[in-house]
């Protein structure tokens, strides 16, 4: 069964450093998403991406965050200057062209900011 | 967004059926009912979705009330692997790109 692949599985970074989280969505999917989950809390929407542009973003997704699909296969989330409160699991998801289709999520990247 | 209400937690014995309820009394005519689950230390996983009619797939069944104000996710035979948080989510199909928004869900414990 097709999978969404995320790398790395765990990243530790120092406060103020830039991090890039990488995702390879399912190859024929058109819609891409980033979510995050702080330990013990709900899964929160960050951003959706379609046709090479952001279609929606949440209040969490401020100027420190950016997304890119640089080569038609990878989908990246960049955090420019990490804060302690950015520590969370970050999940990438994708879906195909059916509007009501389900999302396929990756297994996540655990980001720890120290 | 129309809201859903789920019990915080439920228990089931292994190999018995599980009925996970969801109330959505303010559902609109264009809202699809989606279910996802999240196993421990994993990303969410799509389970099933429906609009008006009951739906079956290899993972589960979805029973939708005639007035659509409630639905039930049915796991026909719970296994230990089904222990997870189950999320009932409404998505408006007319919204096009409308995102999946997670609530707190129902934590299902499966007892061996």
């Amino acid at each position: 069964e097709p999978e969404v692949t995320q790398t790395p599985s765990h990243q530790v970074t120092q406060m103020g450093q830039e991090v890039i989280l990488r995702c390879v969505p399912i190859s024929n999917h058109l819609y891409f998403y980033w979510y995050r989950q702080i330990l013990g809390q709900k899964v929160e929407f960050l951003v959706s991406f379609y046709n090479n542009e952001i279609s929606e973003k949440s209040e969490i997704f401020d100027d420190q965050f950016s997304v890119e699909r640089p080569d038609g296969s990878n989908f990246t989330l960049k955090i420019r200057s990490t804060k302690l409160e950015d520590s969370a699991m970050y999940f990438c998801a994708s879906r195909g062209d059916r509007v009501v289709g389900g999302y396929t999520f990756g297994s996540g990247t655990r980001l720890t900011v120290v | 967004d129309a809201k859903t209400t789920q019990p915080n937690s439920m228990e089931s014995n292994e190999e018995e059926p599980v009925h996970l309820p969801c109330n959505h009394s303010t559902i609109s005519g264009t809202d699809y009912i989606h279910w996802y689950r999240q196993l421990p230390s994993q990303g969410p996983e799509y389970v099933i979705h429906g609009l008006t009619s009951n739906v079956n797939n290899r993972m589960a069944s979805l029973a939708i009330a005639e007035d659509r104000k409630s639905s039930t996710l049915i796991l026909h035979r719970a296994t230990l692997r089904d222990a997870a948080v189950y999320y009932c989510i409404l998505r408006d199909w007319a919204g096009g790109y409308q995102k999946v928004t997670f609530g707190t869900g129902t934590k299902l414990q499966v007892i061996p």
Side-chain angles (χ1 to χ4, degrees), chain B residues 5-11 20-22 35 84-88 103-109:
Chain B
T5 305
Q6 300 177 252
N8 289 332
S9 62
M10 289 183 64
E11 275 184 7
L20 296 159
C22 181
W35 284 82
V85 179
Y86 286 79
Y87 302 97
C88 170
T104 52
T106 296
K107 184 171 185 176
L108 175 67
Q109 183 180 1

Side-chain angles (χ1 to χ4, degrees), chain A residues 47-113:
Chain A
V47 66
S48 57
F49 192 86
Y50 170 71
N51 201 24
N52 282 320
E53 61 183 25
I54 291 173
S55 45
E56 188 177 355
K57 58 184 180 180
S58 71
E59 290 178 357
I60 303 167
F61 194 89
D62 61 20
D63 291 345
Q64 292 300 313
F65 290 87
S66 62
V67 289
E68 210 175 34
R69 189 159 155 79
D71 56 12
S73 60
N74 292 289
F75 179 50
T76 62
L77 174 69
K78 183 193 291 187
I79 310 174
R80 286 190 185 79
S81 177
T82 49
K83 308 183 192 71
L84 294 176
E85 54 265 37
D86 293 327
S87 296
M89 283 291 289
Y90 287 80
F91 296 109
C92 173
S94 67
R95 73 168 173 89
D97 60 354
R98 290 187 63 236
V99 172
V100 295
Y103 293 10
T104 302
F105 282 82
S107 53
T109 292
R110 178 173 299 283
L111 177 65
T112 303
V113 182

Side-chain angles (χ1 to χ4, degrees), chain A residues 8-25:
Chain A
S9 56
H10 190 191
Q11 175 137 12
V12 181
T13 189
Q14 290 206 327
M15 193 168 52
Q17 294 296 304
E18 176 184 286
V19 294
I20 297 176
L21 308 183
R22 302 182 192 279
C23 170
V24 179

Side-chain angles (χ1 to χ4, degrees), chain B residues 52-69:
Chain B
T52 55
S53 305
N54 295 344
V55 185
N56 300 298
N57 67 19
R58 62 177 177 81
M59 289 181 72
S61 296
L62 176 60
I64 302 171
E66 202 168 322
D67 63 3
R68 299 211 326 127
K69 294 184 186 298

